[in-house]
Amino acid sequence: MNCVISALERNWYISPPWKQQMPLLEVHLSEKVYVTTHHAFGYCCGVHLQNNEWVYVVNCECSIIHVTKHQIVGTGRVQSTYLKKPTFVLGDRVMLRCLPHGTKQRLIVGIQLVNNSWCYAVEMMSPTLSQTLNTPNRFALVKEQDLIRVLL
């Protein structure tokens, strides 16, 4: 029985939540955007999947806000930055170094800039389990150092 559970768990974490084709991004990381709900400009500093749509993290007027594609307008202007590009991209398969047991492979389902370092969102529990445990967020932000790229 443990083998069946492990196989189901492994397949769950490496199956993309966006089903067959990843939804297109409305804006890119570091792109200048206009936030219609705040009537202000900001820069996209992250993106993650929530309820089957991309949620964008925007640094706007010295605060971090989370918006959907319906609340932003991309300008096409990418801010030049001293930061290196993210090592992983959305949909990359990675392994977690920090898990002592269980399925370590995951998919990158979000990227966010935190304290001038790129962090990556990975799923830590299935939606069914998170509902059962009444946990609002089944994703975790993980530092680049805690991930290893899986070569296919």
Side-chain angles (χ1 to χ4, degrees):
M1 184 65 157
N2 283 343
C3 292
V4 173
I5 292 172
S6 294
L8 285 171
E9 192 177 57
R10 182 174 49 254
N11 286 331
W12 173 262
Y13 290 123
I14 60 174
S15 298
W18 45 77
K19 307 297 182 236
Q20 295 165 355
Q21 192 171 12
M22 183 169 58
L24 295 174
L25 292 174
E26 195 70 23
V27 298
H28 298 284
L29 293 174
S30 300
E31 184 176 339
K32 187 173 184 175
V33 297
Y34 179 72
V35 183
T36 58
T37 53
H38 286 67
H39 304 289
F41 285 94
Y43 285 92
C44 178
C45 60
V47 61
H48 62 273
L49 198 67
Q50 184 175 322
N51 299 327
N52 294 324
E53 75 172 332
W54 293 121
V55 173
Y56 300 90
V57 183
V58 178
N59 185 344
C60 183
E61 298 180 342
C62 297
S63 63
I64 303 296
I65 58 174
H66 298 255
V67 296
T68 66
K69 69 179 183 179
H70 306 291
Q71 299 168 299
I72 59 172
V73 177
T75 64
R77 291 186 16 212
V78 177
Q79 176 186 26
S80 61
T81 177
Y82 62 90
L83 293 172
K84 67 178 186 152
K85 288 185 175 183
T87 301
F88 303 104
V89 297
L90 296 170
D92 275 356
R93 190 183 293 193
V94 295
M95 286 186 68
L96 292 164
R97 294 178 195 247
C98 59
L99 285 181
H101 57 78
T103 304
K104 294 183 178 189
Q105 284 194 34
R106 300 290 195 273
L107 288 179
I108 300 292
V109 294
I111 301 172
Q112 186 170 342
L113 189 62
V114 178
N115 293 330
N116 292 325
S117 298
W118 293 111
C119 292
Y120 304 89
V122 294
E123 195 168 25
M124 296 306 285
M125 66 178 67
S126 74
T128 306
L129 185 57
S130 67
Q131 288 171 358
T132 304
L133 297 175
N134 202 17
T135 305
N137 196 355
R138 64 183 201 264
F139 300 98
L141 279 178
V142 182
K143 290 182 179 180
E144 183 178 311
Q145 300 89 317
D146 296 325
L147 298 172
I148 302 168
R149 184 182 311 279
V150 173
L151 301 175
L152 302 176

